[in-house]
Amino acid sequence: MELRLFNTMGRIQEPFVPREAGKVGMYTCGPTVYNYAHIGNLRTYIFEDVLRRTLLHAGYRLVHVMNVTDVGHLTSDGDEGEDKVIKAARERGMSVWEIAEFFTKAFFEDTDKLNIQRPEIVCKATEHIPEMIDLVKRLEERGHTYLAGGNVYYDISTFPRYGELARLDEQDLRAGARVGVDAHKRSPRDFVLWFTRSKFEHQAMVWDSPWGKGYPGWHLECSAMSMKYLGEQFDIHCGGVDHIPVHHTNEIAQSEGATGRHPWVRYWLHAEFLVMDSGKMSKSKGNFLTLSSLEEEGFHPLDYRYFCLGAHYRSQLFFSWEALEAARNARRNLIEHLSGLHPREGWEQTPLSERGEAYKREFEEAIGDDLSTPRALAVLWRAVKDEDLPPEERAVLTVTMDRILGLSLAEAIASDDALEPELLELVQRREALRKQRDFAEADRIRDELARRGIIVEDTPQGPRWKRKTT
RNA sequence: GGCGCCGUACCCAAGUGGUAAGGGAGGGGCCUGCAAAGCCCUUAUUCGCCGGUUCGAAUCCGGCCGGCGCCUCCA
């Protein structure tokens, strides 16, 4: 299939061509594990999962790397502020290491529930300090750094391409005057590569370095780890839109500054935000919802995945409970349709007719067009409801499409799974009672079956049963 | 102050120059012992507003109104 992706670098959609035929190296910015992921964070991981599944579907051999930031970043700019992980540890009475482990586990529990596949490589920042130190040394050798106030800074004036990704303009910065004041910086956009000084005690999280005991700057880990696992240049780098102006901009300066190679990354993809009526969902504002809170309201995690798939990843998506409910209904109806399909045994091997192929092509065109999941979903619906297509083909198409959508639809296509004899007997007894026009007793049995998870529907061909879906 | 995005039916949301996908919700009908499911029909002659370009615009240009994001840790 043909895949076109919107590249933030250049702001243009272009055909995806990997550096090396048949192979893709992809890096996605992972979680900072000092709190639960909120559903806005999760939206980005769902998008990245669709991309990952698409690449696999297209037949590429993929190495997907994701970091886990377990060394905290400061809460504010400059060399003051408090490390988030340390703050969380203090508040919860745990060690920093326990905090990181606890929330890493929680993160993967969420992503598992959302059918988000694990990257080939998941790497922790704290396990790659030597690589980071090495990167700073390389930058130092090439003249991109300066020492001030005990910290090592990146001197962006030595990197002419600085800000290209975000289309930053030197002049823009002045007017707003909202930039943190760090007297040591030569330019407001210079940033710290290695800290040895800060105004708070850093406890366990310090490491030796040529510049003294300290800890890495915020952007270092992604450059160091991505290059360790994917090489000095690779294909795709993803993250949320918020990373464009600072984090990814600085990553580029670090990586290309150290290697002298360009481009470090060929395709930059960014997911837009999930917003609420109170504005952007964020941990600092406290207006965030977690996957667990959705579950507490009776939603299935995949309802949320369906909800996200209903909008394009590059548009802001407005969260509301009503919209989530609509997604839940839609997903249930879809499963309902599928469980009523009853394809014949061995349907998995059914070859697609011309009509079936057309749906598949249409689906791949939608996905190939910068991952248009809303259109892909529309194609799925039309295919599933197409009476002119045999159930076997509809089942095959569903399974194929679901490999990218990840909605666990294959499970819904019950081929002839057997009903427990006891329940089957009830179904049959009820039908006999109906024939005798004893509807009161027949209805009672129908209620009992419903309690036991079986829904009976009467058709001209006799009763039909199915298992209740959640 | 600067950068950028968006405004499509009751709701969510595709479509970005050739005559409005899909889903949800609602209404009517067929079917049914009653249901359920299913099926059929139905809800935008129109895409925030005003101009312009064009044979032709929701789609391009300009202005206005409204919503949002970023420039600071952030998905």
Side-chain angles (χ1 to χ4, degrees):
Chain A
M1 67 177 279
E2 200 200 328
L3 179 58
R4 301 178 59 84
L5 298 171
F6 184 87
N7 195 347
T8 304
M9 187 65 86
R11 314 284 152 117
I12 191 171
Q13 193 187 92
E14 41 188 354
F16 175 69
V17 182
R19 295 172 49 79
E20 207 178 317
K23 287 172 69 174
V24 177
M26 170 162 93
Y27 184 90
T28 58
C29 285
T32 301
V33 286
Y34 66 97
N35 203 333
Y36 293 103
H38 64 239
I39 59 176
N41 298 320
L42 261 14
R43 181 188 184 198
T44 298
Y45 298 109
I46 290 171
F47 142 68
E48 288 160 355
D49 184 59
V50 170
L51 174 58
R52 159 187 175 90
R53 288 164 176 266
T54 298
L55 292 166
L56 293 173
H57 176 83
Y60 291 110
R61 268 199 320 202
L62 174 68
V63 178
H64 172 191
V65 178
M66 183 180 78
N67 64 302
V68 170
T69 302
D70 55 350
V71 54
H73 289 166
L74 303 178
T75 51
S76 72
D77 197 10
D79 101 47
E80 52 190 294
E82 189 173 20
D83 182 299
K84 287 174 177 173
V85 175
I86 291 174
K87 184 159 176 264
R90 193 190 61 230
E91 285 168 2
R92 289 172 192 265
M94 293 168 144
S95 77
V96 288
W97 305 98
E98 284 168 343
I99 281 287
E101 199 187 323
F102 178 83
F103 288 113
T104 299
K105 191 162 166 281
F107 175 79
F108 284 113
E109 280 169 12
D110 284 348
T111 57
D112 285 349
K113 285 178 183 171
L114 289 165
N115 280 173
I116 292 170
Q117 299 175 345
R118 297 284 175 109
E120 279 68 27
I121 296 170
V122 173
C123 46
K124 296 182 182 178
T126 51
E127 291 172 3
H128 295 78
I129 302 295
E131 286 84 349
M132 295 189 222
I133 290 174
D134 197 54
L135 191 66
V136 178
K137 280 194 212 156
R138 290 175 75 180
L139 287 167
E140 202 169 38
E141 282 160 19
R142 297 178 69 103
H144 290 294
T145 67
Y146 59 92
L147 273 158
N151 296 331
V152 183
Y153 288 85
Y154 191 106
D155 179 357
I156 66 159
S157 70
T158 63
F159 189 71
R161 217 185 280 279
Y162 188 86
E164 188 185 23
L165 180 72
R167 298 186 163 171
L168 298 178
D169 187 338
E170 295 291 324
Q171 266 69 33
D172 300 347
L173 204 54
R174 312 296 150 84
R178 289 181 66 198
V179 180
V181 278
D182 179 343
H184 300 303
K185 287 185 182 180
R186 291 180 189 167
S187 156
R189 284 207 166 103
D190 286 351
F191 55 95
V192 179
L193 293 165
W194 189 266
F195 288 93
T196 63
R197 302 268 172 78
S198 75
K199 291 176 180 164
F200 59 96
E201 284 307 306
H202 212 74
Q203 302 163 13
M205 293 231 179
V206 286
W207 293 267
D208 283 320
S209 85
W211 313 279
K213 255 193 196 329
Y215 54 99
W218 325 328
H219 314 293
L220 208 48
E221 63 180 77
C222 289
S223 289
M225 296 194 289
S226 63
M227 292 198 283
K228 172 175 181 177
Y229 295 107
L230 297 170
E232 295 191 345
Q233 292 177 289
F234 56 94
D235 301 299
I236 303 175
H237 193 134
C238 305
V241 284
D242 54 316
H243 280 151
I244 298 169
V246 180
H247 184 54
H248 288 166
T249 289
N250 290 349
E251 278 185 49
I252 292 170
Q254 290 171 337
S255 304
E256 296 191 2
T259 66
R261 294 186 183 198
H262 173 81
W264 172 46
V265 169
R266 180 69 181 77
Y267 300 88
W268 287 90
L269 274 65
H270 294 94
E272 252 298 349
F273 275 122
L274 179 77
V275 294
M276 311 222 298
D277 42 14
S278 49
K280 185 179 82 172
M281 186 172 290
S282 74
K283 289 169 188 167
S284 51
K285 280 168 79 177
N287 62 339
F288 68 93
L289 292 165
T290 60
L291 191 62
S292 309
S293 64
L294 262 43
E295 289 180 283
E296 280 160 25
E297 294 297 322
F299 290 95
H300 186 110
L302 293 179
D303 293 334
Y304 181 65
R305 185 173 173 114
Y306 188 102
F307 171 73
C308 289
L309 263 28
H312 188 92
Y313 77 89
R314 285 193 295 112
S315 343
Q316 287 182 354
L317 178 57
F318 195 88
F319 177 85
S320 71
W321 291 103
E322 292 71 26
L324 185 61
E325 248 173 72
R328 170 171 63 190
N329 291 340
R331 194 179 73 88
R332 281 183 177 170
N333 288 158
L334 191 55
I335 288 171
E336 195 76 14
H337 271 280
L338 293 170
S339 59
L341 226 44
H342 298 302
R344 275 194 301 272
E345 199 75 30
W347 58 268
E348 292 90 341
Q349 272 68 51
T350 312
L352 291 177
S353 63
E354 194 122 326
R355 195 180 179 83
E357 281 293 349
Y359 280 116
K360 188 181 171 204
R361 216 176 310 124
E362 214 183 324
F363 177 84
E364 289 181 340
E365 273 166 21
I367 289 293
D369 182 14
D370 194 33
L371 312 179
S372 185
T373 49
R375 268 162 60 203
L377 232 33
V379 176
L380 172 65
W381 271 100
R382 278 190 282 118
V384 167
K385 292 171 87 165
D386 187 345
E387 297 288 334
D388 293 329
L389 209 57
E392 292 73 23
E393 283 195 48
R394 287 191 255 169
V396 167
L397 281 168
T398 300
V399 170
T400 305
M401 296 181 194
D402 196 47
R403 272 202 283 273
I404 287 177
L405 300 175
L407 294 166
S408 294
L409 299 177
E411 296 164 21
I413 304 168
S415 56
D416 285 323
D417 85 312
L419 193 58
E420 293 81 340
E422 186 194 343
L423 296 175
L424 187 62
E425 206 253 295
L426 279 175
V427 172
Q428 287 163 349
R429 174 138 46 97
R430 173 171 173 280
E431 184 58 11
L433 288 163
R434 284 186 68 236
K435 291 229 169 79
Q436 295 160 28
R437 306 192 68 77
D438 183 353
F439 298 119
E441 182 62 10
D443 288 352
R444 197 196 58 74
I445 294 177
R446 182 165 64 191
D447 290 345
E448 187 186 336
L449 283 164
R451 272 199 306 280
R452 300 172 72 166
I454 300 299
I455 294 165
V456 192
E457 293 164 2
D458 302 315
T459 75
Q461 290 79 41
R464 219 173 58 186
W465 61 270
K466 63 187 173 193
R467 296 185 194 278
K468 220 182 258 181
T469 50
T470 42

